[in-house]
Structures are given as C-alpha cells and as structure tokens.
Amino acid sequence: MDRFCVAVAMSGGMDSLRAALILKEQGYDVVGLSMILSSPKKDQKPDYLDKVKALGKRFNIPIVVVDLKNVFEQHVISPFVEAYLKGLTPNPCAVCNPKIKFGFLLDFWKTHAKEICSSFGILGEHLPILATGHYVSLIRPEENPYGYRYGIKRHKDYAKDQSYFLYGLSQDQLGHALFPLASETKQEVATWATSLGLQDLVEAESQEICFIPSGDYVSFLEERIPTLAISSGPIKNSDGQILGYHRGLHRYTIGQRRGIGIPSSAPYYVVKIAPEENTLYVGRKEELSTESCFVRDVNWVSMECPDKTFRATVKIRNQHMPASATVEILKKDYAKVFFDIPQKAVTPGQSAVFYDGEWLIGGGIIESSQQKEK
C-alpha cells in the first residue's frame, strides 16, 4: 500500500494534535510544523515549542520548527497596530490564515517537504498538503452545487464553527488544505484529550489573540507606541456636544459600554471613532443600529462573484448570529450589505462574512457603516 506524507500546523493545542492523529489513523505519515510567530522576551524561549516537541515525541510525530516571525510582523502585527491608529478594530486571525498558515507555512512545506521527509526516514510520497485543527468542512469541487470550485461549509457545531476566519483562503490554498476535525466536535476532542491524560491541553485553550495571550491589547499597543499612553481627546455626542475626554482612541471599539467614564442616567456606547479629529463619539443604545455597511477586499469562496445582488446571511463578528441581508456587488472585491433588520455595533475593521445556509460564500473587511436614520 502506498503511503503519503502531509504536514499539520501544530500549535501545542488539543485541536491540532487531534487533527494530526486522525490523519495518522487514516494511514498518512505526518510531519508537524510549528511556527515561531514572535520574538520571546529576553532570556526566554517560546514555551509552546517545548509542548509541541513533547507531544511529537509521545505520539511519534516529527516536528519541524519554522521561524516566521518576520513575515508575521510584516503581515499581521504591524497592520494590527496600524488599524488601531486608524480607529479600526482589526481581525488578525482572518489575516493570518491566508497570509501566514496557508501562505508562508504552506509554501515552506511545498519547498522543503522532500528533504524533510528524507531527514526523518519517511519514504512515502510527500503531498503538498497542510492540515489544521479548524472546525470546518472542506468541500471538493465535484461536490459543490455552486460550481466546480472548492467550498467551505460551517461545522456541525455552530458554536465552535471557525469558517468566519477562513473566508480569505484562495481556491489554490483550499486545494492544498485538509480539515480533519470536520466530523468531530470541540467537546468530543476535549473528552478525547482528557482520556489520554492531556487535561492541560484542554485547560490551556484560549480565545485570545495568539500574540497577545494576556488579552491586554491596550498595553500591547502602548508598549509598541509609548505616546499612546498619554494621548487624549474629546468625547462628543451625535450633536457635537463635548461630554468628556477619552484616554486614547486605541482603548475603544464600536459598541463598547464600559470604560467611557461619563456619568449618566442611561448608559452611553461608542458609536464612532474619528482619529482624524482625535474624537470619540458616543450615543445611546439605539444609535448603534446599522442598516447597511460597505465591505472591501471581498474574497469569494464557495461560489464565483455573483453578477449583481444576492440574498445571504451575514456575520459581522465571530460570535454574531448571521443576519439576513441583501448583498449588492459594486465591484468584484467590493460590496454593500443591506440588513433586513438593523444590526448593532457593525465595526469597521472587522470582517463581514456571507453565508447561504451552511455554505461560506465569501467575505471581506467592513470599511464603513451607515446608521439607522432617526
């Protein structure tokens, strides 16, 4: 029987480990690729590398460490910081997947797979395939009713579905991808990990941005740009009245309620961030309602770009329940979304992702939104 070798992006978490072992159970030879994405502090090394190597040794998975910190800085961290300076709230995971994992990491495997397999004594054919622990389903072109192209369907466990972060993958990248967790739920994987005595992997699961494990993005930004820590400016309502002063626009996002610091009988919410004026605009809850938004850098996944308009459900953040909408195509990579029911806290910089039922149609970055008229 012929044997084939594929790569798995391994982070030291239970999802990527389970993905790797599923492939081994299916008869593949597996090589784990572990990325270095940022420089550790002085006299420290990334502790997750020790965890990955220990898991690789225990489960007989060769591990290759790939240093991608320079490209990660260029394509993910720097744009993340720049977005906040522009008053946006970025979505770095949606950038990392097409740029880093299925960009530079996949290219590394394509280029070095033969020598890597040879160095570990893997004699079977090496395939230019990268698997990850994402909870989604990959659909082959021959099974896609929207046309002969790769598609993505939401995971059966909607609460843990990660298709929102994969809308930026190209057809070529999807052609070199595997998602072995398509048929397993997060809870099932956690139960499996616990049964093997890997409770630490379950407990270590985090929802934070990988390069800000503490979740304190304000301190992260101020460490990189110290002047942000002493920045200030006016807080205004929609009529232009000054209500108070903010402590730096990087501390706020659309829809935020806490930390505004304006005494009132009813709560204020952030409704607009205007860096060109160094001004934070706040309003009442009803002022958060948005009827439409413009979406740039749209990438089409399960279907080609529609001719004009189409109906879809649209997610405007990962934990958002998809909302019914009409999507108008203005250019192939630029669209306007008209929500059937106004949505709250539509945030520039975040992603708007289009679905047809379970199918991921495509998505892009929210450029601007239009509030519901009073």
Side-chain angles (χ1 to χ4, degrees):
M1 178 180 175
D2 292 335
R3 294 188 67 87
F4 300 97
C5 181
V6 298
V8 179
M10 294 190 64
S11 63
M14 65 177 184
D15 298 329
S16 58
L17 175 63
R18 181 60 182 149
L21 294 181
I22 287 175
L23 292 173
K24 285 176 69 71
E25 292 167 3
Q26 293 175 349
Y28 289 96
D29 288 316
V30 170
V31 172
L33 302 181
S34 186
M35 300 179 289
I36 297 177
L37 297 179
S38 58
S39 298
K41 293 183 178 180
K42 189 177 181 180
D43 299 326
Q44 289 183 333
K45 64 178 180 178
D47 58 357
Y48 65 87
L49 290 182
D50 291 335
K51 184 185 294 185
V52 173
K53 291 176 181 178
L55 292 172
K57 184 176 182 180
R58 174 175 173 177
F59 294 100
N60 193 29
I61 301 171
I63 302 296
V64 176
V65 177
V66 186
D67 188 345
L68 295 178
K69 60 178 176 288
N70 289 336
V71 294
F72 190 73
E73 169 69 36
Q74 177 184 351
H75 294 279
V76 178
I77 297 181
S78 290
F80 175 87
V81 175
E82 291 167 6
Y84 271 101
L85 296 180
K86 296 176 181 176
L88 306 174
T89 303
N91 182 357
C93 295
V95 176
C96 179
N97 285 310
K99 291 285 188 180
I100 307 300
K101 285 182 183 173
F102 289 97
F104 291 99
L105 187 64
L106 176 58
D107 288 344
F108 172 87
W109 173 245
K110 288 179 180 179
T111 302
H112 300 287
K114 183 176 181 180
E115 61 186 272
I116 290 172
C117 290
S118 177
S119 69
F120 289 115
I122 300 173
L123 303 179
E125 181 180 351
H126 52 276
L127 300 178
I129 298 293
L130 178 67
T132 67
H134 287 100
Y135 289 89
V136 294
S137 294
L138 176 67
I139 308 301
R140 314 300 295 184
E142 59 272 17
E143 300 170 335
N144 186 348
Y146 298 102
Y148 194 80
R149 56 193 285 118
Y150 289 95
I152 289 179
K153 292 178 72 173
R154 297 180 68 188
H155 193 268
K156 62 181 181 179
D157 181 2
Y158 277 11
K160 299 299 181 181
D161 166 62
Q162 293 176 303
S163 60
Y164 179 82
F165 299 111
L166 297 174
Y167 73 85
L169 296 187
S170 69
Q171 286 294 297
D172 180 68
Q173 290 172 328
L174 289 172
H176 295 87
L178 278 179
F179 302 116
L181 299 184
S183 60
E184 300 202 4
T185 67
K186 187 87 169 181
Q187 184 57 52
E188 289 169 345
V189 173
T191 300
W192 163 83
T194 301
S195 72
L196 294 179
L198 300 172
Q199 292 90 337
D200 60 320
L201 299 190
V202 179
E203 295 166 0
E205 289 293 303
S206 172
Q207 301 299 318
E208 304 297 344
I209 298 170
C210 69
F211 55 92
I212 313 178
S214 68
D216 186 0
Y217 76 94
V218 171
S219 294
F220 175 83
L221 294 169
E222 291 178 353
E223 186 175 301
R224 292 178 68 96
I225 306 177
T227 55
L228 290 178
I230 57 173
S231 59
S232 181
I235 299 175
K236 298 181 180 180
N237 61 18
S238 57
D239 295 324
Q241 178 185 2
I242 295 179
L243 305 178
Y245 294 88
H246 63 76
R247 296 181 296 145
L249 295 178
H250 62 292
R251 293 175 173 269
Y252 307 91
T253 188
I254 302 298
Q256 181 174 329
R257 173 183 172 181
R258 298 183 183 277
I260 297 175
I262 301 175
S264 176
S265 58
Y268 280 108
Y269 297 81
V270 175
V271 297
K272 181 182 177 183
I273 301 171
E276 67 280 0
E277 307 171 28
N278 191 28
T279 299
L280 186 73
Y281 286 90
V282 298
R284 302 305 186 187
K285 190 173 184 178
E286 58 270 17
E287 293 181 66
L288 284 173
S289 294
T290 297
E291 293 185 322
S292 62
C293 65
F294 289 94
V295 184
R296 61 177 174 84
D297 301 332
V298 176
N299 180 63
W300 301 99
V301 182
S302 299
M303 67 163 59
E304 295 276 3
C305 176
D307 291 336
K308 195 170 184 181
T309 64
F310 66 98
R311 294 286 296 168
T313 56
V314 180
K315 289 185 74 170
I316 55 174
R317 50 189 167 271
N318 183 42
Q319 295 302 319
H320 176 244
M321 179 69 70
S324 297
T326 297
V327 181
E328 179 183 1
I329 307 303
L330 303 178
K331 292 188 292 186
K332 184 177 181 180
D333 62 350
Y334 194 63
K336 187 174 184 181
V337 176
F338 298 88
F339 297 106
D340 291 2
I341 300 174
Q343 299 297 298
K344 296 187 182 300
V346 179
T347 307
Q350 286 287 291
S351 300
V353 180
F354 316 141
Y355 294 90
D356 182 7
E358 299 177 345
W359 290 86
L360 168 61
I361 301 304
I365 299 172
I366 298 172
E367 180 181 70
S368 61
S369 63
Q370 293 181 323
Q371 292 183 338
K372 178 182 178 182
E373 293 186 7
K374 296 180 182 180

